[in-house]
Amino acid sequence: MALEIVSESQCFGGKQLVFQHSSDVLGCDMKTSVFVPRHGEESKMPVVWFLSGLTSTHENAPTKSGFQRVAAELGLIVVCPDTSPRGDHVPDDEAWDFGQGAGFYLDATEEPWSRNFNMESYVARELPCLVGDHFPADMARQAIIGHSMGGHGALTIALKNPDRFKSVSAFSPIVSPMNCPWGEKALAGYLGDARSDWAAHDACALVASAASQFDDILIDQGTADNFLEGQLKPELFQEACAAAGQKLSLRMQEGYDHSYNFIATFIEDHLRFHAARL
Amino acid sequence: MALEIVSESQCFGGKQLVFQHSSDVLGCDMKTSVFVPRHGEESKMPVVWFLSGLTSTHENAPTKSGFQRVAAELGLIVVCPDTSPRGDHVPDDEAWDFGQGAGFYLDATEEPWSRNFNMESYVARELPCLVGDHFPADMARQAIIGHSMGGHGALTIALKNPDRFKSVSAFSPIVSPMNCPWGEKALAGYLGDARSDWAAHDACALVASAASQFDDILIDQGTADNFLEGQLKPELFQEACAAAGQKLSLRMQEGYDHSYNFIATFIEDHLRFHAARL
């Protein structure tokens, strides 16, 4: 598969790139950000995926989280995909929390979404092939981080692909889309009304159905986050992990909100958590 | 003077704020970003000003440069003003490099700009009063940083107010607006065609007319900056400083461009440079 580099900017000695490619599974052109630390000719580096939240694009994390400093130090490639298929021919919705910008990292089965809204296949299969082919990436060493809707994506994709990911962490994730308004709207819209089809996209349900797959899962959650009680409900994941014997390090961070100011503060901890496992 | 806090978000243990106020010298409402590190009840902290470049607002540096981590560690308040007066009643120009977003940190004398375009008075006098009144700021300890057009602002305002600033630094600054297309357009537009009126807003001319005022001036300039040869010309400032006996640490940073990826890489060096002098 071919890709085109659309921008390249030096940052902490490495390169912050944006590439564009034609996605088969999404049926549209997509842009993805990649940070590649400075490296020797022969060396391949581990890959950390960062999945963003509602309304975000491939640009939010590279611009606002400041991950490059620590990724450069630790020698981690960081890949930031977009949050949905894009384009005038791609279905959309007037709401900010459904349609473009809100792909929820699943493969839709309902019309008119099923042709394009296949972000799970995109992140779990198509994009890794591209990254492995075009960057000095050691695809045997991958980890995944997500924020909010992207936290949901990181947890579910990691739990379904434990062989691929050495570790997983999240900032203020949607841990149970079956049990919050954002998730119920998205799952019903993309998958239909049969709730039995939803469990495969619910981190709480997934962790309950599997033996412990990771030595630890790191979640940071701000206590001043406006979405904490109504949407995020980390206690549900805490209960599910406890019941399943999955170790969870849930850190309630006093006074922090849902923004990138929160992510920027703790991204170093997450990258070091992953580097120790890669 | 009254101000209204329009947003507040915790970041690295401190607060990233945006306040709004009615500016007398600019004749409009203005927004300013301020980072206030965590502090004890009694302590006042030194203040670092960050002046942004063309098309930027008060939001660019706090969102993209990642300065908060080091400012929190060093106990520095960082104030990021907007780059021009704002509002539907404020004159503007179709060009991206003149009018709103392009105030050039001077007091305009030409119509229709002179009522509102007084960014020098705003940054040098009105805003410091507000900051000193409403934040735990030790106004006897101030430093100033700027980027591009803001680098011009930082250098000129510091050179004209050496009693107020303990130190000054810049990223890819416009060092001689009298000798580059951006500067000639702005100076002619805001000040009129008499070049004799321009020298008071030209860092090279200012440093030539004064004895050494700072123990050192730090400038970082990327060698892959598209504006290096046509607009920025750091060698002019190097020559002016050498002639005036002003020590200058001009660092040509190989491969870096004009973006915030460059600033984010070296902002820590600048904050430590200033903290050592505050």
Side-chain angles (χ1 to χ4, degrees), chain A residues 8-16 38 62-66 68-69 253-257 259-262 264-266 268, chain B residues 8-16 38 62-66 68-69 253-257 259-262 264-266 268:
Chain A
E8 180 178 319
S9 177
Q10 191 160 294
C11 190
F12 287 97
K15 296 286 184 190
Q16 182 63 57
R38 183 190 289 132
T63 306
K64 297 181 174 181
S65 75
Q68 292 92 344
R69 180 181 61 87
Q253 301 287 7
E254 186 69 27
Y256 286 90
D257 61 24
S259 75
Y260 272 88
N261 288 320
F262 167 52
T265 304
F266 297 106
E268 176 166 358
Chain B
E8 181 178 318
S9 178
Q10 192 161 292
C11 190
F12 287 96
K15 296 286 184 190
Q16 182 62 56
R38 182 190 289 133
T63 305
K64 297 181 175 181
S65 75
Q68 292 93 343
R69 180 181 62 88
Q253 302 286 6
E254 188 68 28
Y256 286 90
D257 62 23
S259 75
Y260 271 88
N261 288 321
F262 168 53
T265 303
F266 297 106
E268 175 166 358

Side-chain angles (χ1 to χ4, degrees), chain A residues 89-206:
Chain A
H89 69 291
V90 172
D92 201 3
D93 189 275
E94 288 181 358
W96 63 275
D97 56 358
F98 192 71
Q100 292 190 33
F104 266 85
Y105 304 101
L106 51 74
D107 289 357
T109 54
E110 292 291 294
E111 293 302 322
W113 312 104
S114 57
R115 168 66 191 98
N116 304 105
F117 282 71
N118 297 305
M119 287 297 290
E120 181 177 354
S121 290
Y122 181 65
V123 169
R125 286 187 289 281
E126 188 180 48
L127 206 44
C129 291
L130 263 183
V131 169
D133 283 351
H134 291 88
F135 297 97
D138 179 356
M139 302 308 281
R141 292 185 289 160
Q142 297 183 62
I144 189 164
I145 307 173
H147 173 229
S148 196
M149 176 185 75
H152 147 73
L155 292 171
T156 55
I157 289 175
L159 289 167
K160 288 199 261 188
N161 300 277
D163 294 343
R164 184 180 144 203
F165 295 103
K166 304 279 190 198
S167 54
V168 53
S169 72
F171 294 91
S172 26
I174 299 172
V175 298
S176 187
M178 296 177 76
N179 292 294
C180 74
W182 280 339
E184 292 177 309
K185 178 177 181 177
L187 297 176
Y190 295 132
L191 301 176
D193 290 331
R195 293 179 67 96
S196 56
D197 295 336
W198 297 5
H201 305 283
D202 186 289
C204 289
L206 286 167

Side-chain angles (χ1 to χ4, degrees), chain B residues 75-150:
Chain B
L76 302 173
I77 289 175
V78 180
V79 182
C80 303
D82 204 343
T83 55
S84 79
R86 298 283 180 181
D88 293 341
H89 68 289
V90 172
D92 201 4
D93 190 275
E94 288 179 1
W96 63 274
D97 57 358
F98 192 69
Q100 293 190 34
F104 265 84
Y105 303 101
L106 52 73
D107 290 355
T109 54
E110 291 293 292
E111 292 302 323
W113 312 102
S114 58
R115 168 65 191 98
N116 304 105
F117 281 71
N118 297 304
M119 286 298 290
E120 180 177 355
S121 290
Y122 181 65
V123 169
R125 287 186 289 282
E126 188 181 47
L127 206 44
C129 292
L130 262 182
V131 169
D133 283 352
H134 291 89
F135 296 96
D138 179 357
M139 303 307 283
R141 293 186 289 161
Q142 295 183 63
I144 190 163
I145 306 173
H147 173 228
S148 196
M149 176 186 74

Side-chain angles (χ1 to χ4, degrees), chain B residues 91-275:
Chain B
D92 201 4
D93 190 275
E94 288 179 1
W96 63 274
D97 57 358
F98 192 69
Q100 293 190 34
F104 265 84
Y105 303 101
L106 52 73
D107 290 355
T109 54
E110 291 293 292
E111 292 302 323
W113 312 102
S114 58
R115 168 65 191 98
N116 304 105
F117 281 71
N118 297 304
M119 286 298 290
E120 180 177 355
S121 290
Y122 181 65
V123 169
R125 287 186 289 282
E126 188 181 47
L127 206 44
C129 292
L130 262 182
V131 169
D133 283 352
H134 291 89
F135 296 96
D138 179 357
M139 303 307 283
R141 293 186 289 161
Q142 295 183 63
I144 190 163
I145 306 173
H147 173 228
S148 196
M149 176 186 74
H152 147 75
L155 292 171
T156 55
I157 290 176
L159 289 166
K160 288 200 261 187
N161 298 275
D163 295 343
R164 183 179 145 203
F165 296 101
K166 304 280 189 196
S167 55
V168 54
S169 72
F171 294 91
S172 26
I174 300 171
V175 298
S176 187
M178 295 178 76
N179 292 294
C180 74
W182 281 338
E184 290 177 311
K185 178 178 182 176
L187 297 175
Y190 295 132
L191 301 174
D193 291 330
R195 292 179 67 97
S196 57
D197 295 336
W198 297 4
H201 304 282
D202 186 288
C204 288
L206 285 168
V207 84
S209 69
S212 170
Q213 297 174 306
F214 296 96
D215 74 319
D216 194 3
I217 294 174
L218 173 61
I219 292 181
D220 275 319
Q221 171 64 56
T223 63
D225 185 327
N226 288 335
F227 304 114
L228 175 54
E229 292 186 15
Q231 303 278 8
L232 304 176
K233 308 180 185 181
E235 67 280 5
L236 296 181
F237 196 61
Q238 198 168 32
E239 292 160 11
C241 284
Q246 168 63 57
K247 185 181 175 198
L248 170 68
S249 295
L250 170 61
R251 308 192 304 184
M252 298 303 290
Q253 302 286 6
E254 188 68 28
Y256 286 90
D257 62 23
H258 200 66
S259 75
Y260 271 88
N261 288 321
F262 168 53
I263 298 174
T265 303
F266 297 106
I267 188 71
E268 175 166 358
D269 292 356
H270 286 239
L271 291 177
R272 293 193 187 283
F273 173 87
H274 293 300

